[in-house]
Amino acid sequence: MRTEMKEKIIRTCEEKIASKGCNVGLSFYVFFANKNNDPELLMEVAHWWIMEMKLDHFEKAEKIKGLVLSI
């Protein structure tokens, strides 16, 4: 996964945890704008989330942050 995307995922997870608590759940769509302006990046993250990590639609932000920090 691209470095910029990893950083954005970690930053977003930290922001959501800070504002909503450690049990907040996220979908991979939260890391993107409501416009499909970078379909390749969206598919890259979707592939990582669904195919590689076998994650459900919603997962805990803490878990996502940990997974991204480990790659």
Side-chain angles (χ1 to χ4, degrees):
M1 188 183 312
R2 302 174 201 181
T3 302
E4 305 86 39
M5 194 65 219
K6 289 181 190 178
E7 292 169 354
K8 183 175 185 176
I9 290 172
I10 292 167
R11 185 174 56 251
T12 302
C13 286
E14 289 174 346
E15 290 169 0
K16 295 292 183 181
I17 292 165
S19 68
K20 299 191 180 226
C22 62
N23 286 322
V24 65
L26 305 176
S27 124
F28 68 85
Y29 293 115
V30 75
F31 309 114
F32 297 93
N34 286 334
K35 295 182 181 180
N36 191 9
N37 55 359
D38 193 345
E40 288 181 16
L41 183 58
L42 176 66
M43 292 306 296
E44 182 180 325
V45 174
H47 184 270
W48 175 82
W49 188 286
I50 298 165
M51 302 301 289
E52 291 180 35
M53 297 291 110
K54 309 272 190 248
L55 299 172
D56 290 333
H57 185 73
F58 282 93
E59 293 287 350
K60 302 285 185 206
E62 289 279 351
K63 178 178 181 178
I64 301 306
K65 180 181 170 185
L67 289 171
V68 172
L69 286 171
S70 73
I71 56 173

